[in-house]
Amino acid sequence: MKTYDAIVVGAGHNGLANAAFLAKAGLDVLCLEKNPYIGGAAVSLNLYEDWIYSNCSYVCSLLRPEIYRSLDLARHGLQVTPYGGGMTFMENGDYLGAYWDSETRYKEYSRFSKHDADAYERYSADTMRQCRFIRDFMMRTPPDPTSFKPRDLMELMAIGKKFYEMGEDRMYDTVRFWTQSVAEYLDEYFETDVIKTALSGSGIIGTALGIHSPGTAYVLLHHYMGEVDGNVGAWGFARGGMGAVSQAIANSFQSYGGEIRTNAGVEQILVKNGKVTGVALTSGEEISARVVVSNMDVKRTFMKCMDEKDLPEDFLHRVKNFKIRGSSGKLNIALDGLPTFPALPKGSPLLDGDMHFIDSMERMELAFDDWKEGTWSKDPYVDMLIPTITDPTMAPPGKHFMSCFVQYCPEKIEGRAWTNEERDAFGKTVIDQIAKYSPDFKDLILHVEIRTPQDIENEAGLTEGNIFHGELTMDQLLFNRPVPGYAQYRGPVKGMYMCGSSTHPGGGVMAAPGANAAREILSDLKRQNTVPENFGDD
Amino acid sequence: MTIHEVPQKRLTTPFYPRLTELDRLNNWHSWKGYTSTDALYDPELEYFAIRNSTGVFDLSPMTKYRITGPDSLDYINRLVTRDMNKIKPGRVAYAVWCNDQGQIIDDGTIFHLREGEYRLCSQERHLPWLVSAAIGFDVSIVEETAEVAGLAVQGPTSFSILRTLGLSGIEELKPFGLTHFDFEGSELMVSRTGFTGDLGYELWIEPAKALALWDALFEAGKLYGITAIGTHALEMARIEAGYIAAVTDFLPAELTVRSGRSRSPFELGLDWLVDFKKPTFNGRRALAEEKRRGSNWRLVKLDIDGNKPANHSYIYTKKNGKRIQAGFTTSAMWSPVCKQNIAIGTVNTPYGNVGDTMQVEIYYQREMLWTRVMADAVVVDKPFWDPARRRATPPGNY
């Protein structure tokens, strides 16, 4: 029987990126996927006629440019187009527009407050400073602060040096920033409710926390540190939907001789004498390999796909307590035409970007209150985009695809499974909220896919449908991600590795966890490293 | 319900209609959201108008704040590093203000319009900083950029033009003085200030009277070579005068992302603006500490050999017989009036003392081909262009 050098479990973008870097180094690699299609949560699916749905992740920014370049993703078909615009609709009929052009933004903010219009520059510089501090660590393995290995010490010193270089006052700011709530952070700059609200959304996306919860300022940063062609903070659409990201990585992987098998769900990662030997598929088939890499989140990996007896008790305990709570759902909608929004002037370029329908910090917090009560937000925070305004490939001409990321949405309703009626009612909540600002919206709907966290878990495999494979709070970042002592991508069993977003630096279609894990694996196997270093200062 | 949309077009200043009439080039750029001209017919000739007759520059987009109230003097004294007690009503002060780390947030001019009434002009916008610095002071701070139109009237014949305009008593206005006139029922404020290092004035008026003022001014100046100019010409004069410009020669501290990229007043050669006799002002403690232990950077004015402008050049020095990098230029040009190759730059201390000879690495292109030269550069302390007429009161007729 053939023994692979490595098996990667899960053909999400991180699994594929990991597999690609291993194959690039000359390893014989097999990537297994339970679904009939690859991509995991970076996927394009054809769910209605000629429409292509980005039915999980929907925008692209964090994908590390170093990976984009070294896996030759452009040649393998990936094209990312940035978008501008976006707005927050207000209950009084007005809206707050988001403009890239700094003077237009100044004028727009000035309508509400000249103070806030000025303050944006400082807010932006302060946020960018934090971004620069953390960005350099995206393509690096987090050091273990308890280790005395030279490499850990060197890396710790690198972090310390960078921290020290920020200067005294900014070091204080950094520590506050990492522990503060997004609401407190924004309060330091702005006085206008709707401006704060518009900026606060990035602090809670994918996180089971409210805007007033400590730790959410960092989540905001996580959404700012991406880039499109060096424009830090910019977001873009992958042409052809988010599946184009996974497909390009898969093409790259295959160009290095890698092998992908779909409809090949892994039942268990096999361990013998404390060492990984391969995997058993749900079909009963066993495949042997010297290394097994899990692209699944840590809970799914260790609690569903491994024998608990093979794992250290303390490790398992920490995995069980890893926070990976379901907080968001999704609606994917096929539209017969472009909905009109009477608050906006005709042909407004703001439609290119993400639209929001909550205009106060109070409503943001109330949305979280519903989640705490064990139900979906009755006035949810919706991050809505119509990618087909930019991307001509996802729907027939004149028709549109709409992606609605919805927060908050619990994994269970009051502790029990969702009923179909509740799922429909959840969908109606979102559609009604949008329809309040777009009278013709409902009539244009051709098809709706409603996804609760449970649906996302069942299909994409994300525990509780958590988009980041675990929340991005300080207790679960860097050397604490996913579990203290196991942050360097090595599992507790020899030959077993983790490469999903549960590992540093977390989720968001970055592909950095997959790449970083590959670097560690290649180092253990004494193979030449194929994983690029980060581009450095920019 | 009305559908709102914020205008995305650049704003125009109150003088825009006259500028467009004179404009032959259609060369415009954005200055804080306003359409501003690079040059109207020829940047070099516009520059010579500043040095030979009079250039008129529309500075309406300059950010302006009105500071009033019983505590306005105390407030401004706390805000800026220099002693504002000395700036009586009718006087203008160049000033910098710092954050608590002693790093410059911006520089600007403060006009003491009347007792307890000030106008602060700066390149960048600072409302949140000015407002938070005002906590505990009984002052009002109002942004008035769009409410005041401004013209710089700069050059040797500027005095004659303003006298012809009928501004009686203008001959007594000293450098950094300001005075008020009536202009068609509106208040016209005239200050003897400018960014050119030459004889010159700035005129400030409400926007409704802007065009009337322009017309009267150009009528008064038609025998004195009055010429509308753009930013390019002003920038040349600015460098010759040895004035630093925000964003070009230093970065406002609050906008820097990387550490060590902001500057203290000492690092920009503005020691004379820092008055430690004042018991409190923003940045005092940090600046006192810097004074004690020394600064990291030093601003230098360079007189460079040859005639190739040293734009974006490294500055080198000799250390133990070896050439090492000491800094970089931030503004550079061939000065037509001084017939000198000049630059403003930043170097690491202890290099760049006045009288030192440094080296500048200059790249220049002729018919596609790039050439590199290393030129000697002497550090000078005086402005490159500093004619006696700039200070003469009463000014000459020229």
Side-chain angles (χ1 to χ4, degrees):
Chain A
M1 196 179 77
K2 176 172 181 176
T3 300
Y4 286 93
D5 290 328
I7 288 176
V8 178
V9 183
H13 66 281
N14 274 313
L16 290 165
N18 183 267
F21 284 114
L22 297 182
K24 193 176 179 180
L27 299 190
D28 191 6
V29 186
L30 172 66
C31 186
L32 298 171
E33 170 55 48
K34 77 178 176 76
N35 285 326
Y37 49 85
I38 62 157
V43 71
S44 302
L45 292 180
N46 181 222
L47 299 178
Y48 174 79
E49 292 187 0
D50 294 336
W51 273 253
I52 292 169
Y53 287 28
S54 285
N55 76 330
C56 280
S57 62
Y58 49 102
V59 281
C60 185
S61 161
L62 304 175
L63 179 65
R64 298 307 309 157
E66 299 87 352
I67 296 171
Y68 204 137
R69 181 173 161 168
S70 71
L71 291 182
D72 225 349
L73 300 187
R75 195 167 61 82
H76 289 296
L78 181 58
Q79 213 180 314
V80 177
T81 308
Y83 61 84
M87 87 294 290
T88 298
F89 288 104
M90 298 171 70
E91 278 189 316
N92 65 5
D94 198 358
Y95 66 91
L96 172 72
Y99 296 91
W100 268 19
D101 175 67
S102 60
E103 286 304 323
T104 308
R105 179 178 49 232
Y106 178 81
K107 281 185 259 186
E108 178 70 350
Y109 275 31
S110 292
R111 291 203 298 126
F112 300 90
S113 156
K114 273 192 176 178
H115 174 281
D116 287 5
D118 275 12
Y120 185 86
E121 297 296 326
R122 191 172 168 200
Y123 161 80
S124 179
D126 286 356
T127 308
M128 187 54 62
R129 194 173 303 125
Q130 299 301 332
C131 274
R132 285 194 72 258
F133 179 63
I134 199 79
R135 270 160 59 94
D136 271 9
F137 301 112
M138 296 293 112
M139 289 297 288
R140 296 167 93 139
T141 297
D144 185 339
T146 65
S147 154
F148 290 100
K149 283 188 206 153
R151 194 183 131 190
D152 285 309
L153 292 174
M154 295 280 283
E155 282 290 301
L156 274 173
M157 275 168 60
I159 294 181
K161 183 162 175 276
K162 229 172 134 56
F163 186 56
Y164 185 75
E165 275 172 6
M166 294 180 100
E168 204 176 280
D169 55 314
R170 288 164 177 185
M171 285 158 70
Y172 296 136
D173 283 347
T174 302
V175 174
R176 278 185 332 116
F177 185 87
W178 285 16
T179 49
Q180 183 170 49
S181 74
V182 65
E184 287 164 340
Y185 181 59
L186 294 168
D187 278 342
E188 290 187 13
Y189 301 91
F190 304 107
E191 58 187 20
T192 310
D193 202 23
V194 67
I195 290 176
K196 286 192 275 190
T197 309
L199 296 169
S200 72
S202 298
I204 49 125
I205 284 186
T207 308
L209 292 170
I211 51 167
H212 294 285
S213 313
T216 45
Y218 174 80
V219 182
L220 173 119
L221 186 64
H222 199 82
H223 288 96
Y224 270 80
M225 68 192 170
E227 63 175 288
V228 178
D229 299 323
N231 289 308
V232 178
W235 285 78
F237 294 116
R239 198 167 199 264
M242 286 301 283
V245 175
S246 307
Q247 192 56 55
I249 303 175
N251 294 347
S252 177
F253 171 49
Q254 286 167 323
S255 78
Y256 297 123
E259 194 181 327
I260 298 172
R261 271 179 68 182
T262 52
N263 290 310
V266 168
E267 180 70 30
Q268 194 165 356
I269 295 169
L270 302 172
V271 178
K272 211 172 185 177
N273 302 327
K275 191 181 177 313
V276 141
T277 58
V279 297
L281 302 185
T282 47
S283 64
E285 183 187 348
E286 291 193 3
I287 311 174
S288 58
R290 282 176 274 276
V291 162
V292 175
V293 192
S294 174
N295 179 31
M296 300 177 287
D297 67 63
V298 278
K299 279 204 173 165
R300 193 177 180 93
T301 303
F302 295 105
M303 294 169 64
K304 291 198 172 151
C305 296
M306 287 192 79
D307 189 337
E308 298 193 358
K309 292 195 288 293
D310 291 330
L311 303 171
E313 190 189 308
D314 192 42
F315 174 82
L316 202 59
H317 179 73
R318 286 186 186 267
V319 168
K320 278 180 183 158
N321 287 306
F322 186 67
K323 280 185 300 177
I324 183 165
R325 297 170 293 185
S327 58
S328 53
K330 203 158 176 234
L331 262 66
N332 297 303
I333 304 172
L335 294 168
D336 203 20
L338 190 64
T340 53
F341 296 89
L344 295 178
K346 238 180 146 56
S348 171
L350 296 176
L351 281 174
D352 296 356
D354 32 10
M355 300 175 226
H356 307 103
F357 308 89
I358 278 195
D359 65 350
S360 78
M361 296 294 266
E362 189 185 356
R363 288 172 68 194
M364 288 292 274
E365 188 66 18
L366 287 173
F368 181 48
D369 287 347
D370 287 337
W371 182 88
K372 285 186 280 185
E373 298 292 329
T375 183
W376 70 89
S377 307
K378 297 305 178 286
D379 181 20
Y381 170 73
V382 174
D383 186 39
M384 186 269 267
L385 283 133
I386 308 176
T388 41
I389 293 175
T390 304
D391 185 344
T393 68
M394 294 175 75
K399 315 289 180 189
H400 288 281
F401 164 67
M402 177 191 276
S403 163
C404 306
F405 172 90
V406 190
Q407 196 146 335
Y408 298 80
C409 185
E411 192 241 351
K412 288 191 163 71
I413 296 292
E414 292 163 6
R416 54 161 177 80
W418 286 70
T419 64
N420 286 339
E421 291 71 35
E422 283 160 347
R423 183 192 293 107
D424 289 345
F426 165 64
K428 187 174 177 305
T429 304
V430 177
I431 288 168
D432 285 347
Q433 192 194 50
I434 298 170
K436 257 174 81 177
Y437 300 91
S438 177
D440 58 355
F441 167 57
K442 283 186 183 177
D443 295 337
L444 293 168
I445 296 175
L446 298 171
H447 171 259
V448 186
E449 183 198 24
I450 305 169
R451 313 187 83 199
T452 67
Q454 193 57 63
D455 299 324
I456 295 170
E457 171 161 359
N458 291 343
E459 190 182 313
L462 311 175
T463 298
E464 295 203 19
N466 184 295
I467 65 168
F468 293 137
H469 281 208
E471 281 156 50
L472 297 170
T473 48
M474 211 47 218
D475 56 325
Q476 302 197 149
L477 288 174
L478 283 167
F479 43 76
N480 286 329
R481 191 172 185 88
V483 168
Y486 294 91
Q488 299 184 336
Y489 308 96
R490 290 170 189 82
V493 174
K494 200 166 177 349
M496 195 265 156
Y497 296 84
M498 303 168 275
C499 76
S501 295
S502 289
T503 60
H504 170 81
V509 199
M510 285 198 238
N516 289 341
R519 190 194 313 106
E520 296 303 316
I521 295 165
L522 292 170
S523 153
D524 287 355
L525 297 178
K526 307 211 170 1
R527 292 286 191 135
Q528 197 191 341
N529 180 34
T530 53
V531 179
E533 287 188 8
N534 75 53
F535 285 151
D537 193 8
D538 48 15
Chain B
M1 207 192 69
T2 56
I3 299 175
H4 157 81
E5 186 173 30
V6 70
Q8 299 187 40
K9 280 206 178 86
R10 300 302 175 220
L11 302 168
T12 55
T13 74
F15 298 110
Y16 182 75
R18 293 296 178 270
L19 288 168
T20 47
E21 281 167 24
L22 296 170
D23 178 39
R24 291 159 190 266
L25 302 178
N26 200 25
N27 251 355
W28 305 85
H29 64 276
S30 172
W31 175 10
K32 286 284 152 207
Y34 284 88
T35 304
S36 190
T37 177
D38 286 342
L40 294 161
Y41 74 106
D42 184 309
E44 285 272 317
L45 298 182
E46 290 168 25
Y47 155 82
F48 276 108
I50 301 173
R51 294 294 179 228
N52 178 52
S53 52
T54 286
V56 177
F57 180 76
D58 176 7
L59 45 76
S60 305
M62 179 77 78
T63 305
K64 308 174 203 83
Y65 298 97
R66 173 77 61 129
I67 300 167
T68 53
D71 291 345
S72 48
L73 173 61
D74 290 345
Y75 164 69
I76 294 174
N77 247 334
R78 224 280 298 269
L79 180 75
V80 303
T81 56
R82 74 181 287 175
D83 184 4
M84 291 297 293
N85 285 304
K86 296 172 185 162
I87 310 302
K88 302 295 177 200
R91 298 295 297 165
V92 185
Y94 173 64
V96 293
W97 53 104
C98 294
N99 61 18
D100 290 358
Q101 287 69 46
Q103 301 296 294
I104 295 179
I105 289 178
D106 208 349
D107 66 347
T109 39
I110 300 173
F111 298 77
H112 197 166
L113 301 171
R114 291 180 184 80
E115 189 65 46
E117 190 182 331
Y118 294 88
R119 175 179 298 145
L120 185 154
C121 290
S122 61
Q123 171 67 29
E124 298 298 310
R125 303 181 181 115
H126 300 287
L127 194 57
W129 181 265
L130 298 177
V131 167
S132 65
I135 293 170
F137 291 97
D138 186 3
V139 287
S140 145
I141 298 155
V142 179
E143 202 243 41
E144 57 170 10
T145 304
E147 280 79 64
V148 183
L151 284 180
V153 182
Q154 304 277 312
T157 62
S158 57
F159 163 67
S160 299
I161 293 171
L162 294 190
R163 190 180 48 191
T164 309
L165 183 64
L167 304 183
S168 60
I170 190 77
E171 64 279 0
E172 285 165 26
L173 192 62
K174 295 186 179 123
F176 285 96
L178 71 83
T179 180
H180 303 277
F181 297 94
D182 175 78
F183 179 80
E184 298 186 359
S186 292
E187 184 182 278
L188 168 67
M189 193 269 273
V190 178
S191 55
R192 190 165 163 187
T193 49
F195 214 36
T196 61
D198 215 313
L199 176 63
Y201 301 86
E202 288 170 332
L203 276 51
W204 312 83
I205 198 157
E206 63 171 296
K209 294 288 168 58
L211 294 181
L213 176 66
W214 178 286
D215 293 340
L217 185 70
F218 274 72
E219 180 60 31
K222 68 181 178 191
L223 301 180
Y224 294 99
I226 195 167
T227 305
I229 64 163
T231 306
H232 191 107
L234 184 73
E235 175 69 1
M236 292 172 72
R238 188 278 292 182
I239 298 170
E240 288 177 338
Y243 292 145
I244 52 171
V247 183
T248 305
D249 299 298
F250 73 95
L251 293 175
E254 301 302 297
L255 302 185
T256 61
V257 170
R258 294 158 182 82
S259 53
R261 307 291 166 99
S262 57
R263 296 287 182 264
S264 77
F266 302 130
E267 291 174 327
L268 294 183
L270 301 174
D271 310 45
W272 62 281
L273 285 182
V274 182
D275 192 340
F276 285 116
K277 289 202 280 294
K278 289 201 296 180
T280 51
F281 59 87
N282 283 340
R284 189 182 192 279
R285 195 195 298 187
L287 289 172
E289 175 65 15
E290 183 180 331
K291 189 90 189 159
R292 198 180 60 74
R293 68 163 167 77
S295 306
N296 294 325
W297 297 102
R298 173 180 286 152
L299 187 102
V300 288
K301 291 192 270 289
L302 297 173
D303 180 358
I304 303 167
D305 274 2
N307 63 354
K308 313 291 186 298
N311 290 302
H312 315 293
S313 293
Y314 277 125
I315 302 171
Y316 296 88
T317 190
K318 288 240 169 63
K319 189 184 179 186
N320 305 330
K322 271 187 165 163
R323 189 151 71 199
I324 60 161
Q325 236 176 62
F328 46 87
T329 63
T330 51
S331 296
M333 66 180 285
W334 168 257
S335 165
V337 73
C338 305
K339 300 290 176 244
Q340 255 179 321
N341 191 17
I342 64 175
I344 297 171
T346 299
V347 297
N348 288 116
T349 54
Y351 311 114
N353 290 300
V354 170
D356 284 359
T357 298
M358 308 186 85
Q359 285 78 42
V360 176
E361 185 175 20
I362 301 167
Y363 288 80
Y364 66 95
Q365 195 180 27
R366 294 287 183 272
E367 297 181 331
M368 293 182 75
L369 188 77
W370 282 97
T371 308
R372 169 182 172 271
V373 294
M374 289 293 278
D376 278 355
V378 178
V379 179
V380 300
D381 62 344
K382 293 275 181 291
F384 304 104
W385 175 251
D386 188 22
R389 67 188 181 217
R390 175 186 174 192
R391 280 175 299 275
T393 308
N397 292 325
Y398 307 104

